[in-house]
Every structure is written in C-alpha cells, then in structure tokens.
Amino acid sequence: MRSRTIEPLWTAEDVSTFLGVPVSTLYQWRYRRIGPRASRVGRHLRYDPADVRAWLSKQAA
C-alpha cells in the first residue's frame, strides 16, 4: 500500500515568498477576492499550496 504525504499549509509569508509579492498585497487580494484561496485556521490565515499553484497557473493563461 502506498502512503500519502500531506503537504503543510503555507502562511501568508510563505505565499509572499513563493509569488514574490509583499504580504500586504496578499491581504489586498483577499479583501478584493482576486488572489489565491485562503482559509482561516483559528485566527491564522493559511493557504493550500495546490490552490496557490492552481491560481498562479490560471493567471498565466
């Protein structure tokens, strides 16, 4: 049987580094609902890396 590994969720700082944009831009995109999908985990904002990559691919199209 094959085991699945779960990729950890990214913080806003992780996504900022990956996309090369300031964290404040991510918060503006979230407010305007134009950025990658994010979720609240308690009071923390987290991004699924697969969602961020999918959003980025969609932007390039």
Side-chain angles (χ1 to χ4, degrees):
M1 183 157 58
R2 212 172 149 178
S3 64
R4 290 181 59 178
T5 59
I6 299 174
E7 191 172 8
L9 298 175
W10 287 353
T11 64
E13 290 78 13
D14 295 333
V15 177
S16 169
T17 300
F18 179 76
L19 296 177
V21 299
V23 172
S24 60
T25 299
L26 292 175
Y27 286 115
Q28 288 174 15
W29 288 350
R30 180 170 164 77
Y31 177 77
R32 296 170 57 197
R33 298 178 186 226
I34 61 172
R37 186 171 60 175
S39 300
R40 287 266 173 212
V41 178
R43 63 182 192 157
H44 304 284
L45 190 61
R46 295 293 182 257
Y47 293 82
D48 183 337
D51 289 342
V52 175
R53 290 184 188 107
W55 176 85
L56 183 60
S57 294
K58 194 174 181 183
Q59 301 309 303

